[in-house]
Amino acid sequence: MATAAERTAMRRAITLAARGLGATSPNPVVGCVILDATGEQAGEGFHRRAGGPHAEIHALRDAGELARGGTALVTLEPCNHTGRTGPCAQALVEAGIRRVVYAVGDPNPQATGGADTLRAAGIEVEQGLLAEEAEAGNAAWLTSVRLGRPYVLWKYAATLDGRIAAADSTSRWITSADARADVHRLRAEADAVVVGSGTARTDDPQLGVRGIEGATQPLRVVVDTSATAVRPGARVLDGTAPTLVAVADDAEAGHLPAEAVLRLPRAATGPGLDIPALLAALEGRGIRSVLLEGGPVLAGSFVAAGAVDTVVGYLAPVLLGAGPAALADAGISTISQALRLDVTETVRIGPDLRITAVPVPARKGN
């Protein structure tokens, strides 16, 4: 059984892992804390970037000789394969670690087996400490491995009566500067930011991360089926971050940079592009997490495709009474088909309220 010191160390490892969000794909975010033989913290580390040392290596280097006879707390099962870096399980063995506690087993068939290697070397191994918290922190990578597509977080900002703009289409600014700054945190944690043609046409967004030092700029993606919303000179083509403009196979896109054009099949039903095909294309580019910023038509397409994993709504204490809603047609025609959500967090952001919710899993037989 894990000790109180080990539980504290695992919580620290989970916090450390989060520092890698937005910078490690296609790899997971991982944190590691080393306790010495007396149970005192001796070292810590996290996976900082794809291709760089893993969390265990950073933590072992930080601990030095104090690692010998100690315990390693890791958020993910130590890897057992050689890629751009060596296997972490073997590094822990060579460092003289006595005990390894990890939160989540590695579902990647290429990397799993680290726990067996550790046990074969005589190291005591325990799995599952704070597994739920560690899974939540690594949701993007785990979704990619398990479902074969990127994790999708849909973010929207709306009034208390659910409007994202007024009747005359004005929308700046519904939410506060504090809420808008928080959105840049979400962008910094994502591999890609996705908007639709309506947003591109109305707002000409730049979609980059601002105000967060050291942030890795996400891939900017505009779903522009007919290739009419993104024109030469659009801010999303400004060169500060990579950009893809997703267009239909038959769209005329000669006015766009060739390297920015992503051609995809149209949706089998309704307007727009095939959402699973879009996500597959992004997955193939190493994208593990997507921040979907709108608008309502594109969000409806994602919901209809069953491709929204988390919803984050910023609600302002404002009433409009008319104007577009946050979500357009999502293929839901009756209350029994409603996508039920479980609220996991509510936070005050300046004068606004940020609500985070996840879809409730469908019960078997429904």
Side-chain angles (χ1 to χ4, degrees), residues 46 54 69 78 82 109 128 141 156 169 177 185 208 236 252 279 291 317 363:
F46 66 96
H54 291 186
T82 299
W141 182 79
Y156 70 92
S169 298
R185 175 188 60 83
V236 77
E252 173 51 57
L279 292 174
L291 175 61
R363 290 182 296 176

Side-chain angles (χ1 to χ4, degrees), residues 330-343:
I332 298 170
S333 58
T334 182
I335 194 67
S336 64
Q337 298 174 341
L339 178 61
R340 302 289 178 177
L341 304 174
D342 179 23
V343 175

Side-chain angles (χ1 to χ4, degrees), residues 198-263:
T199 300
R201 189 177 288 111
T202 302
D203 297 339
D204 187 24
Q206 197 264 351
L207 300 181
V209 177
R210 298 186 295 278
I212 299 180
E213 186 177 353
T216 300
Q217 292 293 338
L219 173 69
R220 302 175 293 185
V221 182
V222 179
V223 179
D224 185 9
T225 305
S226 59
T228 58
V230 180
R231 309 303 300 177
R235 297 175 67 211
V236 77
L237 299 175
D238 65 6
T240 61
T243 299
L244 285 178
V245 182
V247 305
D249 284 331
D250 56 355
E252 173 51 57
H255 58 287
L256 295 171
E259 67 277 9
V261 175
L262 172 64
R263 293 193 174 275

Side-chain angles (χ1 to χ4, degrees), residues 12-361:
R12 174 60 180 166
I14 292 170
T15 299
L16 288 168
R19 294 186 182 180
L21 287 170
T24 65
S25 287
N27 294 345
V29 293
V30 183
C32 179
V33 171
I34 304 293
L35 302 181
D36 65 19
T38 69
E40 296 295 319
Q41 182 168 327
E44 64 180 30
F46 66 96
H47 186 36
R48 301 180 182 183
R49 60 178 179 81
H54 291 186
E56 296 93 325
I57 306 305
H58 283 298
L60 289 171
R61 289 174 180 171
D62 192 32
E65 281 301 312
L66 292 176
R68 191 161 299 277
T71 300
L73 289 301
V74 196
T75 57
L76 184 68
E77 179 184 358
C79 67
N80 198 44
H81 78 299
T82 299
R84 284 182 284 184
T85 60
C88 292
Q90 188 59 39
L92 291 166
V93 171
E94 293 173 358
I97 288 291
R98 177 188 63 84
R99 171 172 160 82
V100 173
V101 180
Y102 64 93
V104 180
D106 193 335
N108 183 353
Q110 294 181 326
T112 192
D116 292 338
T117 295
L118 294 169
R119 291 191 182 96
I123 294 175
E124 181 183 344
V125 178
E126 181 177 329
Q127 176 185 350
L129 179 60
L130 302 183
E132 188 173 341
E133 295 175 34
E135 284 227 10
N138 222 358
W141 182 79
L142 289 168
T143 296
S144 173
V145 173
R146 292 168 177 169
L147 301 182
R149 64 159 175 83
Y151 163 90
V152 177
L153 185 154
W154 171 41
K155 160 264 164 187
Y156 70 92
T159 62
L160 281 183
D161 56 341
R163 307 296 177 176
I164 62 168
D168 65 355
S169 298
T170 55
S171 61
R172 295 187 179 183
W173 295 102
I174 286 176
T175 53
S176 66
D178 291 334
R180 298 196 300 275
D182 194 61
V183 171
H184 283 277
R185 175 188 60 83
L186 295 182
R187 287 183 182 178
E189 294 177 353
D191 297 333
V193 178
V194 179
V195 299
S197 58
T199 300
R201 189 177 288 111
T202 302
D203 297 339
D204 187 24
Q206 197 264 351
L207 300 181
V209 177
R210 298 186 295 278
I212 299 180
E213 186 177 353
T216 300
Q217 292 293 338
L219 173 69
R220 302 175 293 185
V221 182
V222 179
V223 179
D224 185 9
T225 305
S226 59
T228 58
V230 180
R231 309 303 300 177
R235 297 175 67 211
V236 77
L237 299 175
D238 65 6
T240 61
T243 299
L244 285 178
V245 182
V247 305
D249 284 331
D250 56 355
E252 173 51 57
H255 58 287
L256 295 171
E259 67 277 9
V261 175
L262 172 64
R263 293 193 174 275
L264 295 171
R266 293 178 181 271
T269 58
L273 300 178
D274 185 276
I275 298 302
L278 169 64
L279 292 174
L282 295 177
E283 173 82 8
R285 286 167 167 75
I287 299 299
R288 299 294 178 259
S289 62
V290 166
L291 175 61
L292 175 62
E293 292 204 27
V297 174
L298 185 61
S301 296
F302 270 77
V303 171
V308 170
D309 301 294
T310 299
V311 179
V312 175
Y314 293 86
L315 300 183
V318 175
L319 299 176
L320 285 173
L327 185 66
D329 182 15
I332 298 170
S333 58
T334 182
I335 194 67
S336 64
Q337 298 174 341
L339 178 61
R340 302 289 178 177
L341 304 174
D342 179 23
V343 175
T344 59
E345 184 185 52
T346 57
V347 179
R348 185 80 175 262
I349 306 288
D352 306 317
L353 186 66
R354 185 186 72 205
I355 299 178
T356 303
V358 297
V360 176

